[in-house]
Amino acid sequence: MPELPEAETIVRGLRPAIIGRVVEQTRVPKPDILREPRGRFARKVRGRRIVGVDRRGKNVLLRLDDGSVVAVNLGMTGRLLPFDSAPRGADRPGHPAVHLLLEGGGVLVFDDTRRFGTVECLSAAEWSARSARMGPEPLDERYTAHALREGLSRSRAPVRSWLLDQRRIAGVGNIYANEALFLSGVHPRRRARDLTGAEATRVHRSIRRVLRAAIHAGGTTIRDYRDASGAEGRYARRLLVYARDGEACSRCGAVIERVVFGNRSAFFCPGCQPAKSRGASS
DNA sequence: AGTGTATCCTGCAGGC
DNA sequence: TGCCTGCAGGATACAC
């Protein structure tokens, strides 16, 4: 996905375009995107004013004037594209799934090629319960290295799998998990609980650094990701290991490797990220 | 508790 | 040119 930096970039782009607008009508050409009957979704959303746009983890949240929340999970290929009027020609999204028709003629389109995304309208209480099941926000100032270290210490899972679990930390996906572990000098397959305190601290710092840098660059476009204005993110060229298997490590020159576990590719530099912790006896 | 597998979908790149 | 396989930023459910 769209991971945290991509969701954040979309949110920032959407705010000036849709805050204050009223949803006049909905159109749902791909109802499997919704997690409820489209009539029910329509009744909850129709006539409501969008009073805020926020992010939680990888989710984009449209806050409505009755306290309810339209939660959008972008899946792998989801886009949220606002238009002043019905899009035509080259502008027209190729796989529109949900349209929110706005008073005054505008439209917010959720477009999703693979349809792994979801759109749902939750009451304030429902959203609160959902959010409570998600892990902390890594960029929250209250999220400390100590908190990350505590979390890691309770898991036998590989640290890369741990980072992808949204119940443990919200918003980190495969790209930034791999990049942060490279910056930390930690092999992706190391058991979470086996990381030293110093390693956990480096992972904490690296996650925050890479997420902030990616937000600054407007996210990473590998293929499908676009921001709210349809533009690509600029972080792809700054990736140090992700999808760079076979290339030389920019730091030590070793050949970057790709391994698959947990059903996902992991990328790492065997020189910078030894399989055993530094200083551990082998 | 963790892992391997399958599932939801479409599209693209690479091998032949 | 076409057909096939594998792979993709996510999330979940299942059996073991």
Side-chain angles (χ1 to χ4, degrees), chain A residues 108-210:
Chain A
L108 177 64
V109 179
F110 178 65
D111 183 86
D112 187 3
T113 306
R114 290 176 70 183
R115 305 214 303 282
F116 285 178
T118 57
V119 174
E120 45 191 334
C121 185
L122 304 173
S123 70
E126 288 168 334
W127 167 249
S128 171
R130 175 77 58 87
S131 181
R133 276 186 260 126
M134 300 174 59
E137 287 289 327
L139 294 181
D140 190 320
E141 61 189 18
R142 292 165 295 184
Y143 188 61
T144 61
H146 178 73
L148 175 64
R149 186 178 175 180
E150 276 292 305
L152 291 171
S153 72
R154 281 182 266 109
S155 172
R156 284 185 247 266
V159 60
R160 199 280 311 256
S161 302
W162 192 95
L163 290 172
L164 293 187
D165 188 338
Q166 301 301 298
R167 295 167 302 186
R168 290 163 155 158
I169 182 169
V172 178
N174 204 27
I175 293 179
Y176 302 113
N178 279 285
E179 293 294 303
L181 290 171
F182 171 74
L183 293 176
S184 309
V186 172
H187 191 286
R189 206 156 195 168
R190 294 268 309 283
R191 260 196 222 217
R193 57 148 64 160
D194 291 347
L195 268 61
T196 65
E199 286 172 331
T201 298
R202 289 205 301 276
V203 171
H204 176 262
R205 187 171 53 231
S206 301
I207 287 172
R208 289 160 63 97
R209 180 184 299 169
V210 73

Side-chain angles (χ1 to χ4, degrees), chain A residues 5-82:
Chain A
E6 291 74 33
E8 180 65 27
T9 303
I10 288 169
V11 163
R12 292 178 184 185
L14 281 180
R15 280 184 182 134
I18 64 169
I19 287 182
R21 310 290 295 273
V22 172
V23 181
E24 203 168 64
Q25 196 56 263
T26 61
R27 294 273 183 274
V28 187
K30 305 286 188 211
D32 56 336
I33 290 295
L34 299 177
R35 300 180 128 186
E36 60 188 322
R38 63 181 130 179
R40 193 149 67 99
F41 175 77
R43 281 196 299 280
K44 290 197 279 188
V45 172
R46 204 184 299 146
R48 301 256 74 101
R49 186 180 300 275
I50 299 168
V51 296
V53 182
D54 290 308
R55 178 190 61 72
R56 174 82 169 99
K58 307 172 184 177
N59 300 277
V60 174
L61 312 175
L62 310 183
R63 299 197 179 274
L64 306 183
D65 58 6
D66 63 345
S68 63
V69 173
V70 176
V72 180
N73 186 306
L74 299 146
M76 298 273 250
T77 56
R79 301 175 182 179
L80 275 168
L81 303 167

Side-chain angles (χ1 to χ4, degrees), chain A residues 174-270:
Chain A
N174 204 27
I175 293 179
Y176 302 113
N178 279 285
E179 293 294 303
L181 290 171
F182 171 74
L183 293 176
S184 309
V186 172
H187 191 286
R189 206 156 195 168
R190 294 268 309 283
R191 260 196 222 217
R193 57 148 64 160
D194 291 347
L195 268 61
T196 65
E199 286 172 331
T201 298
R202 289 205 301 276
V203 171
H204 176 262
R205 187 171 53 231
S206 301
I207 287 172
R208 289 160 63 97
R209 180 184 299 169
V210 73
L211 294 177
R212 284 204 186 97
I215 290 170
H216 185 71
T220 300
T221 296
I222 301 294
R223 176 179 303 164
D224 299 293
Y225 167 69
R226 297 293 184 280
D227 70 14
S229 71
E232 299 188 358
R234 301 178 307 280
Y235 198 76
R237 60 168 168 256
R238 296 181 52 189
L239 296 173
L240 299 172
V241 288
Y242 184 83
R244 293 205 182 281
D245 47 319
E247 297 181 31
C249 170
S250 56
R251 197 165 143 254
C252 78
V255 177
I256 293 165
E257 294 181 18
R258 167 181 173 268
V259 295
V260 177
F261 62 91
N263 251 342
R264 318 292 296 276
S265 291
F267 302 90
F268 65 98
C269 167

